C-alpha cells in the first residue's frame, strides 16, 4: 500500500475534523484573547499587600473624598467615600479613573514644542532647552520693561500654589495674575456687583431650604463633583426641599426634581423676572420690596403672559408652580450654571440674585449664607493686578504661563490665543496633560499630575461651608515631571529673577504649613473624618503635626456653619441701573437661531456634558470603555434633535449632517431624542470615544465650536444644520 | 483482508487522522499548554486543622479594617515554628529557608485571579456567609500540596479554567471563570454589573 495524495488529504481532513471537535482550537482562541490583555506591553501592577487609604481629588475644585485601594505603593482603584463631608460619596467619571489618568496617552512625558498652531503636531524638546527658551523670553521682557506682558493663568485660585504664582509675578516685575471664573464664580461676582458691598463668600444653604428653584444647575447629579448639592438630600428620616428645575434639557436632575420647567434656551432671565412678578402678586410668602430703579420696572413688565411668550411655559404652569412653593419655608433661587452645559451669563445671574433679594433670603437659614473667610489672605498683591482673562485686552500678552492643574477647564482656546501678541506671543503650559487650556500652548513643561504632589483644596464658590483639605502625594513624582513650584523656581533662576526661592517647592511647603497653623490657631471648626463619622473640634487637636497627619489621612477641616442673620445694609448701589439694563437686554431671551445659508436650517446649539469630562479633559480608559460599550454617553458627534423637528426638515436618525457656526463646520450624526426641544441641537461636551487613544483628537475643543467670541456664555449659541 | 483494506483504505486513513486529531486536542494539548511548578515546600493543612486543632481564621484572618489577609506571612508561621515542630523535610525547609532569614515563602496560589478582577473575601464570607470550601474545595483538609499549573499563553492558574481541558470539573469549586462567578451571582440573585468585579 502506498501513500497517495488522496490518502494524505483524507488523513489531513480527518486530523482537522478531530482537532475541531477537541478543545484545542477553541481554548487556543480563548487563551490568545487573554494573552493580548496580559502581554509585556500591558502595565502590570506588582503583587503586594493591599491597603486602603483616603485622600482628596484635585481634578477639579470640588474636593471630593477618595478611597484609594493600593497594592504596595501603587493605586489600583479609586472610589468615592460614603458620608464624606464635601462629596457625600459621589465621584465623577474622571475621578473614578484617577489612577488611570496618570497613564493617559495625553500625558506629558517631557518638554514639547510645536509651531504656532493648535493643529500642528507636538515635537519632543530637550528639557534644558525648553527652560532656556522660556527663561530667555522672561528675561528679555523684564529687561525691556515689558513685564506687564507676562501673565499666569491660574485655573484654580486659592491654593497654596496660587501664592507662588503671585510671588513669581511679583519677582518678575509687573506681571499679571489671571483667573478664569467658572459659572459659580460668575454668580458670586454678580452678587458683589449687584450689592456693591464687600461680603464674605456667598453659599447656598440647601439643608434648611423649603423649596429650591434651580436655573439649570445640576443640583442632584453634578453640583459637587458628580454628587448632589450638600444638604439637599437629608439623612434618613428627613425631608428634602421641593425642587423646581428650570432647564431646557432633560437631565438626571430634571428627572429627580418635583417640577421641571422646560423653558426655551436662553430665557432664564425672563423666568427669574416673571417669578419675581408672581412673588408680588400671587405668593403669600414674606418678601422684601424695595424701590429698586430699573429692576421694579422689569418685574412689573414680566407678567405671566409675557414670560410665557418668551419662555414657552404656559402661564398656568408658572402660576401653579409659584403657588406650590408657598408655605414651604425659605425659597432659594439657584444659579451658577452647569459644569458640563456652560455658565448662565451675567444678566441671568443678576436676575437670579435679584430674585433672592426679593425673597429676602440673604443671610437667612435656607437662603444665601455668607461663609466665614479662611484665616489667610491671598498673599501680596501682584503688581500687574489680578483680573479675569476675559478682561485682558486682545494682543496684550507676550508670555502666558497656563496652569494645567484643571485639565477639563472650559476655556475657549480661541479666546486664549486672541489675548496674545500675534507674532511673538508665547503660551507655555505647566501641565501633566496636553488637554484643556494647555492644548493651545506653544510649549509645554511637564508638571506633576494629580496625586504626584501635595496639594490643598479649598471650598468651591457657592458651597455652604468653608472647608480645607489636603490631597496626598501617593503616586510619587515621576522622573520626567516636576513639581509646579520647581518649574517656577527653575524659570525664575533661568531668567535671573531676584529671589527665585520665593516660588519654589520649599516655599510651597511653608505656605501649606502656615495655612495649617492659621487654622489651628484660629481654633474654630472641626476635623471631620473621610466617612463623616468622627468630628473632632480643632481646638482639641494637640499639635500642628497631628493636624497635618489627620488631613493627610483624608480628614477635612470644616468651618462652623455660617451664622444665620439678616443682612443689613445690603442694597443696590448706584451701579444697579446699568446692571439692570443688562438684565433688560437679556430678558427677551438669547434665542439665537440664525443662518446666512438659505440651504441650512437655523438651530440653537446647546451642550450637555458630564462633570469631569466637559471641556476636553483627559478621559480615563474605564469611562471610555463604559461609554463605548453601554451608550451611557453619546458619541461626540451625536447631534440630538427632536424627532418632529427632524421630520419637518426631512432628516432621519443616523443621517450625517454638517453643523455650522461662525467658527466653522463640523460633521455630526443625527440622533433623535424626544426630550430635546424643536429647533435645538444638543451636543455632548467632551472628547469622543476615540479621543482617548489619539491625543490629537482631544484638540477639538467643544466650547470653541459654540462661541470663540468674547461672549463667555457658551451655554447656548447660534448654529445651522444642513445635509451633507 | 487485503481487499478489505484496499476497499476501506480511504476511510481508515481518515479515521486515523481523526483519532490523531482527537488525541492531540484532548491528550497532548493539555500537556503542552500548562507548565507545572512545584511548590517551594510541602504543607499539610490537615495536620494543622485536625491534629493542631486550628481553624482557618487563625492563619487566614480578616484584618481589623475588614480586608482579607490571604496567605499568611512568614511572621504568622514563625509564631509557632520559631523552633522546629517535628522532623519532616518540609519543617526543615521552612526553618532554614524562610523563618531564619525572614523570607516570605513564594507559594504558588492556585486560586489567584487575574489583575483585572477585584474580589472581596469579606463580601463573600462575611456578608453572604459562603464557606471557604465553596470556592477552595477540600484545600483546608489536604495533606499535601499539588504542583501549580500555569497556562503558558494566558498565564492564568489552571484552577481558574478547571482541571478539564474542556473547562470546569466535577466539583463546583473546580473552576473560577467569570461565567462561574456570574452563575453563582445569578443563582443568589446578586447584582453582577461589570464594575462590581472590574473596578
Amino acid at each position: 500500500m502506498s501513500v497517495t495524495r488522496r490518502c494524505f488529504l483524507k488523513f489531513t481532513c480527518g486530523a482537522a475534523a478531530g482537532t475541531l471537535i477537541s478543545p484545542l482550537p477553541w481554548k487556543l482562541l480563548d487563551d490568545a484573547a487573554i494573552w493580548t490583555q496580559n502581554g509585556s506591553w500591558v502595565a502590570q501592577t506588582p503583587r503586594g499587600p493591599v491597603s486602603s487609604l483616603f485622600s482628596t481629588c484635585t481634578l477639579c475644585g470640588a474636593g471630593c473624598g477618595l478611597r484609594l485601594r493600593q497594592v504596595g505603593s501603587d493605586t489600583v482603584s479609586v472610589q468615592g467615600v460614603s458620608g464624606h463631608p464635601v462629596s457625600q460619596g459621589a465621584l465623577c467619571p474622571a475621578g473614578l479613573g484617577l489612577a488611570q489618568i496618570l497613564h493617559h496617552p495625553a500625558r506629558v512625558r517631557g518638554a514639547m514644542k510645536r509651531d504656532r498652531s493648535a493643529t500642528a503636531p507636538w515635537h519632543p524638546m530637550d528639557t534644558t532647552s525648553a527652560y532656556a527658551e522660556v527663561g530667555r523670553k522672561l528675561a528679555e521682557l523684564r529687561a525691556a520693561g515689558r513685564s506687564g506682558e507676562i501673565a499666569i493663568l491660574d485655573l484654580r485660585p486659592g491654593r497654596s500654589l496660587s501664592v507662588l504664582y503671585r510671588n513669581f509675578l511679583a519677582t518678575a516685575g509687573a506681571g499679571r495674575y489671571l483667573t478664569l471664573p467658572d459659572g459659580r464664580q460668575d454668580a458670586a461676582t454678580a452678587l458683589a456687583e449687584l450689592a456693591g458691598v464687600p461680603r464674605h463668600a456667598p453659599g447656598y444653604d440647601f439643608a434648611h431650604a423649603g423649596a429650591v428653584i434651580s436655573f439649570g444647575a445640576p443640583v442632584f447629579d453634578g453640583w459637587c463633583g458628580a454628587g448632589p448639592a450638600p444638604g439637599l438630600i437629608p439623612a434618613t428620616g428627613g425631608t428634602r426641599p421641593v425642587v423646581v428645575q428650570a432647564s431646557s434639557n432633560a437631565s438626571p436632575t430634571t428627572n429627580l426634581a418635583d417640577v421641571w420647567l422646560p423653558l426655551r434656551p436662553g430665557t432664564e432671565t425672563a423666568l427669574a423676572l416673571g417669578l419675581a412678578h408672581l412673588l408680588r402678586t400671587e405668593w403669600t410668602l414674606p418678601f422684601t420690596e424695595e424701590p429698586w430703579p430699573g429692576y421694579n420696572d422689569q418685574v412689573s413688565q414680566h407678567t405671566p403672559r409675557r414670560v410665557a411668550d418668551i419662555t414657552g411655559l404656559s402661564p398656568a404652569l408658572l402660576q401653579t408652580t409659584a403657588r406650590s412653593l408657598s408655605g414651604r419655608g425659605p425659597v432659594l433661587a439657584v444659579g451658577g450654571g452647569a459644569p458640563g452645559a456652560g455658565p448662565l451669563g451675567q444678566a441671568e445671574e443678576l436676575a437670579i440674585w435679584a430674585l433672592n433679594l426679593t425673597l429676602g433670603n440673604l443671610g437667612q437659614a435656607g437662603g444665601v449664607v455668607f461663609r466665614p473667610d479662611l484665616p489667610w489672605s491671598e498673599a501680596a498683591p501682584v503688581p500687574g493686578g489680578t483680573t479675569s482673562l476675559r478682561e485682558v485686552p486682545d494682543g496684550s500678552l507676550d508670555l502666558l504661563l497656563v496652569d494645567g492643574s484643571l485639565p477639563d477647564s472650559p476655556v475657549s482656546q480661541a479666546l486664549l490665543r486672541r489675548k496674545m501678541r500675534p507674532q511673538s506671543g508665547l503660551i507655555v503650559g505647566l501641565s501633566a496633560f496636553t488637554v484643556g487650556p494647555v492644548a493651545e500652548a506653544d510649549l509645554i513643561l511637564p508638571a506633576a499630575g494629580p496625586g504626584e504632589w501635595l496639594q490643598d483644596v479649598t471650598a468651591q464658590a457657592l458651597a455652604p461651608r468653608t472647608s480645607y483639605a489636603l490631597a496626598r502625594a501617593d503616586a510619587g513624582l515621576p522622573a520626567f515631571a516636576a513639581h509646579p513650584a520647581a518649574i517656577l523656581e527653575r524659570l525664575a533662576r533661568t531668567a535671573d529673577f531676584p529671589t527665585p526661592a520665593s516660588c519654589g517647592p520649599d516655599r510651597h511647603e511653608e505656605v501649606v504649613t502656615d495655612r495649617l497653623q492659621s487654622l489651628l490657631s484660629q481654633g474654630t471648626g472641626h476635623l471631620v473624618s473621610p466617612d463623616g463619622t468622627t468630628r473632632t473640634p480643632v481646638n482639641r487637636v494637640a499639635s500642628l503635626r497631628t493636624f497635618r497627619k489627620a488631613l493627610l489621612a483624608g480628614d477635612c477641616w470644616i468651618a462652623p456653619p455660617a451664622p444665620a442673620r439678616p443682612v443689613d445694609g445690603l442694597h443696590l448701589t448706584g451701579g444697579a441701573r446699568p446692571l439692570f439694563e443688562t438684565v433688560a437686554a437679556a430678558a427677551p431671551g438669547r434665542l439665537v437661531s440664525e443662518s446666512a445659508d438659505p440651504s441650512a436650517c437655523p438651530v440653537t446649539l446647546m451642550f450637555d456634558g458630564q462633570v469631569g469630562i466637559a471641556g476636553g479633559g483627559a478621559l480615563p480608559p474605564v469611562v471610555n470603555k463604559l461609554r463605548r460599550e453601554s451608550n451611557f454617553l453619546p458619541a461626540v458627534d451625536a447631534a440630538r434633535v427632536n424627532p418632529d423637528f427632524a421630520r419637518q426638515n426631512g432628516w432621519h436618525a443616523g443621517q450625517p449632517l454638517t453643523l455650522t457656526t461662525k467658527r466653522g463646520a463640523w460633521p455630526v450624526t443625527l440622533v433623535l431624542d424626544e426630550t430635546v426641544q424643536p429647533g435645538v441641537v444638543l451636543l455632548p461636551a467632551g472628547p469622543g470615544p476615540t479621543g482617548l487613544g489619539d491625543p490629537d483628537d482631544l484638540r477639538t475643543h467643544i466650547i470653541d465650536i459654540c462661541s470663540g467670541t468674547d461672549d463667555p456664555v457658551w451655554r447656548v449659541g447660534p448654529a445651522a444644520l444642513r445635509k451633507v | 483482508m487485503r481487499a478489505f483494506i484496499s476497499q476501506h483504505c480511504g476511510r481508515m486513513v481518515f479515521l486515523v487522522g481523526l483519532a490523531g486529531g482527537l488525541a492531540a486536542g484532548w491528550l497532548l494539548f493539555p500537556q503542552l499548554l500548562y507548565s507545572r511548578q512545584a511548590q517551594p515546600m510541602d504543607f499539610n493543612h490537615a495536620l494543622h486543622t485536625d491534629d493542631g486543632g486550628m481553624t482557618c481564621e487563625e492563619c487566614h484572618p480578616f484584618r481589623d479594617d475588614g480586608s482579607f489577609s490571604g496567605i499568611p506571612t512568614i511572621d504568622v508561621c514563625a509564631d509557632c515554628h520559631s523552633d522546629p515542630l517535628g522532623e519532616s523535610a518540609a519543617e526543615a525547609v521552612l526553618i532554614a529557608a524562610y523563618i531564619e532569614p525572614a523570607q516570605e515563602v513564594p507559594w504558588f496560589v492556585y486560586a489567584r485571579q487575574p489583575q483585572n478582577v477585584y474580589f472581596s473575601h469579606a463580601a463573600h464570607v462575611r456578608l453572604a456567609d459562603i464557606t471557604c470550601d465553596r470556592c477552595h474545595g477540600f484545600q483546608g483538609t489536604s495533606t499535601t500540596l499539588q504542583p501549580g499549573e500555569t497556562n503558558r499563553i494566558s498565564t492564568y492558574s489552571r484552577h481558574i479554567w478547571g482541571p478539564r481541558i474542556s473547562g470546569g470539573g466535577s466539583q463546583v469549586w473546580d473552576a473560577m471563570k467569570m461565567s462561574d462567578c456570574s452563575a453563582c451571582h445569578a443563582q443568589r440573585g446578586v447584582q453582577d454589573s461589570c464594575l462590581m468585579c472590574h473596578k
Side-chain angles (χ1 to χ4, degrees):
Chain A
M1 192 179 81
S2 60
V3 177
T4 62
R5 187 167 60 183
R6 180 180 290 266
C7 280
F8 179 75
L9 286 172
K10 286 185 175 177
F11 178 83
T12 307
C13 289
T19 307
L20 282 174
I21 54 176
S22 81
L24 192 152
W26 320 113
K27 179 80 173 115
L28 271 181
L29 275 175
D30 186 63
D31 287 345
I34 297 171
W35 170 73
T36 61
Q37 302 166 36
N38 291 298
S40 57
W41 56 90
V42 178
Q44 298 288 322
T45 307
R47 296 285 182 184
V50 178
S51 58
S52 270
L53 48 88
F54 298 100
S55 189
T56 307
C57 184
T58 56
L59 281 174
C60 76
C64 297
L66 303 177
R67 184 195 300 270
L68 309 175
R69 194 166 70 93
Q70 293 194 317
V71 177
S73 60
D74 294 314
T75 300
V76 294
S77 80
V78 180
Q79 291 175 285
V81 187
S82 178
H84 190 270
V86 173
S87 58
Q88 304 161 82
L91 204 54
C92 73
L96 282 169
L98 187 65
Q100 298 179 336
I101 282 180
L102 294 173
H103 309 284
H104 195 279
R107 181 75 200 259
V108 179
R109 297 178 182 278
M112 299 197 300
K113 191 181 180 184
R114 67 178 173 199
D115 297 334
R116 299 285 167 87
S117 164
T119 55
W122 289 104
H123 298 293
M125 185 184 190
D126 174 58
T127 305
T128 308
S129 305
Y131 276 99
E133 181 174 335
V134 181
R136 191 164 50 246
K137 185 144 186 121
L138 282 166
E140 286 171 4
L141 289 170
R142 184 164 177 267
R146 292 166 54 202
S147 53
E149 297 176 27
I150 301 170
I152 290 180
L153 177 61
D154 185 357
L155 295 180
R156 205 186 310 156
R159 299 168 293 164
S160 293
L161 182 64
S162 305
V163 175
L164 272 62
Y165 282 146
R166 289 164 172 268
N167 290 352
F168 180 87
L169 293 167
T171 193
R176 296 190 219 188
Y177 177 79
L178 307 180
T179 60
L180 187 75
D182 58 11
R184 285 181 212 171
Q185 189 58 51
D186 283 342
T189 305
L191 176 63
E193 289 171 345
L194 185 66
V197 289
R199 286 282 155 194
H200 300 299
Y204 293 139
D205 185 12
F206 289 100
H208 300 100
V212 171
I213 309 167
S214 161
F215 290 80
V219 292
F220 282 117
D221 68 314
W223 183 265
C224 185
L232 186 63
I233 297 178
T236 310
T239 54
R240 71 165 174 80
V242 170
V243 175
V244 176
Q245 181 72 4
S247 168
S248 304
N249 307 325
S251 70
T253 292
T254 59
N255 294 341
L256 292 168
D258 300 282
V259 180
W260 175 24
L261 301 179
L263 75 173
R264 288 196 185 112
T267 60
E268 287 86 355
T269 306
L271 180 62
L273 292 168
L275 287 174
H277 181 100
L278 283 165
L279 175 72
R280 297 181 177 192
T281 57
E282 302 271 349
W283 292 6
T284 56
L285 289 171
F287 60 88
T288 304
E289 187 170 19
E290 290 188 33
W292 298 333
Y295 178 65
N296 282 345
D297 296 341
Q298 287 297 318
V299 169
S300 302
Q301 292 167 19
H302 280 79
T303 60
R305 172 58 58 194
R306 184 176 180 197
V307 174
D309 289 342
I310 296 171
T311 62
L313 305 170
S314 73
L317 176 61
L318 291 167
Q319 286 167 328
T320 307
T321 303
R323 285 177 193 145
S324 70
L325 299 172
S326 178
R328 294 186 181 275
V331 181
L332 174 64
V334 174
L344 278 174
Q346 188 197 33
E348 287 82 353
E349 297 293 359
L350 286 169
I352 293 166
W353 282 121
L355 179 59
N356 276 316
L357 279 163
T358 307
L359 286 159
N361 66 20
L362 269 72
Q364 300 280 13
V368 179
V369 293
F370 292 93
R371 314 188 309 228
D373 292 331
L374 286 160
W376 55 76
S377 67
E378 285 292 321
V382 181
T386 300
T387 185
S388 165
L389 175 71
R390 297 197 295 259
E391 291 159 17
V392 175
D394 289 355
S396 64
L397 300 178
D398 208 42
L399 178 63
L400 176 63
L401 302 178
V402 179
D403 165 50
S405 61
L406 211 53
D408 68 335
S409 179
V411 56
S412 162
Q413 293 170 7
L415 179 69
L416 209 62
R417 178 57 67 185
R418 236 187 16 257
K419 303 301 176 187
M420 306 303 296
R421 284 189 176 277
Q423 297 302 321
S424 61
L426 183 70
I427 301 177
V428 179
L430 316 181
S431 178
F433 304 100
T434 58
V435 300
V438 177
E440 186 63 29
D442 306 305
L443 192 152
I444 298 182
L445 299 173
E452 293 176 344
W453 60 294
L454 176 73
Q455 298 189 62
D456 54 351
V457 183
T458 54
Q460 276 187 307
L462 303 183
R465 302 277 284 272
T466 307
S467 64
Y468 187 77
L470 291 180
R472 47 195 294 157
D474 286 308
L477 196 59
F480 56 79
H483 190 299
I487 296 178
L488 291 179
E489 183 177 12
R490 186 167 173 183
L491 285 176
R493 288 192 192 283
T494 309
D496 213 14
F497 285 177
T499 63
S502 66
C503 45
D506 292 342
R507 179 64 193 137
H508 182 263
E509 185 64 26
E510 288 171 11
V511 173
V512 172
T513 305
D514 290 347
R515 290 183 164 195
L516 298 182
Q517 184 63 60
S518 301
L519 290 173
L520 202 57
S521 304
Q522 183 179 256
T524 57
H526 288 78
L527 263 179
V528 184
S529 62
D531 56 3
T533 54
T534 310
R535 296 169 62 85
T536 309
V538 170
N539 55 18
R540 287 194 201 160
V541 176
S543 65
L544 179 64
R545 183 181 170 146
T546 311
F547 190 45
R548 182 188 175 95
K549 192 175 171 186
L551 288 172
L552 285 174
D555 283 14
C556 281
W557 174 82
I558 303 289
R565 54 172 174 259
V567 177
D568 298 325
L570 186 63
H571 58 277
L572 298 178
T573 62
R577 178 172 287 280
L579 285 174
F580 281 121
E581 286 170 3
T582 308
V583 175
R590 293 178 183 267
L591 198 54
V592 280
S593 305
E594 59 183 33
S595 175
D597 180 359
S599 67
C601 174
V603 291
T604 300
L605 177 59
M606 296 191 76
F607 297 94
D608 72 340
Q610 200 155 353
V611 61
I613 59 172
L619 205 61
V622 65
V623 179
N624 193 50
K625 187 175 171 64
L626 283 176
R627 183 175 182 142
R628 217 181 300 186
E629 294 182 355
S630 66
N631 288 329
F632 179 57
L633 296 169
V636 74
D637 66 342
R640 281 177 284 162
V641 301
N642 184 281
D644 293 336
F645 183 66
R647 203 173 303 118
Q648 288 165 14
N649 288 281
W651 302 330
H652 58 81
Q655 183 172 357
L657 296 171
T658 301
L659 177 81
T660 55
T661 69
K662 53 192 161 192
R663 288 274 297 161
W666 286 266
V668 294
T669 303
L670 201 73
V671 174
L672 302 182
D673 186 340
E674 289 184 354
T675 66
V676 181
Q677 298 189 15
V680 172
V681 170
L682 205 57
L683 271 185
T690 58
L692 175 73
D694 183 0
D696 289 347
D697 282 355
L698 296 169
R699 288 191 195 140
T700 303
H701 204 287
I702 201 78
I703 295 156
D704 279 338
I705 295 177
C706 184
S707 176
T709 66
D710 286 333
D711 188 354
V713 185
W714 56 273
R715 185 185 192 87
V716 53
L721 272 178
R722 63 177 163 78
K723 292 179 182 175
V724 176
Chain B
M1 184 64 182
R2 181 170 292 181
F4 178 81
I5 293 174
S6 178
Q7 186 180 354
H8 298 285
C9 176
R11 288 180 193 167
M12 290 173 67
V13 167
F14 179 84
L15 289 174
V16 168
L18 184 73
L22 287 169
W26 288 97
L27 303 175
L28 181 62
F29 174 59
Q31 301 301 317
L32 298 174
L33 184 63
Y34 293 103
S35 65
R36 291 165 72 86
Q37 176 190 334
Q39 292 283 12
M41 53 176 277
D42 201 13
F43 184 83
N44 188 334
H45 274 96
L47 188 67
H48 289 76
T49 53
D50 295 344
D51 299 352
M54 299 173 70
T55 61
C56 301
E57 290 75 23
E58 286 184 58
C59 295
H60 306 282
F62 285 92
R63 301 188 187 96
D64 292 341
D65 66 357
S67 61
F68 183 59
S69 61
I71 296 208
T73 60
I74 198 65
D75 296 339
V76 178
C77 303
D79 284 346
C80 299
H81 292 266
S82 53
D83 293 321
L85 297 176
E87 297 177 350
S88 67
E91 184 72 17
V93 172
L94 174 68
I95 302 291
Y98 302 109
I99 290 185
E100 286 182 352
Q103 290 278 333
E104 295 297 333
V105 185
W107 299 110
F108 179 95
V109 183
Y110 306 117
R112 175 154 284 165
Q113 287 285 333
Q115 286 203 326
N116 61 352
V117 177
Y118 173 84
F119 181 85
S120 166
H121 276 89
H124 289 81
V125 176
R126 291 193 156 176
L127 296 181
D129 284 332
I130 295 174
T131 54
C132 304
D133 59 358
R134 171 63 180 76
C135 302
H136 296 289
F138 298 126
Q139 198 67 250
T141 54
S142 65
T143 56
T144 186
L145 295 180
Q146 299 299 314
E149 290 186 89
T150 305
N151 187 310
R152 294 179 196 275
I153 301 172
S154 69
T155 71
Y156 290 1
S157 166
R158 188 170 188 168
H159 284 248
I160 303 298
W161 178 258
R164 290 178 188 153
I165 190 63
S166 56
S170 58
Q171 302 293 338
V172 71
W173 53 77
D174 275 339
M176 295 180 169
K177 300 191 301 295
M178 187 172 77
S179 56
D180 300 304
C181 300
S182 294
C184 190
H185 274 229
Q187 188 183 6
R188 291 166 179 265
V190 180
Q191 181 191 7
D192 61 348
S193 65
C194 302
L195 288 180
M196 287 275 287
C197 307
H198 304 291
K199 292 180 189 291

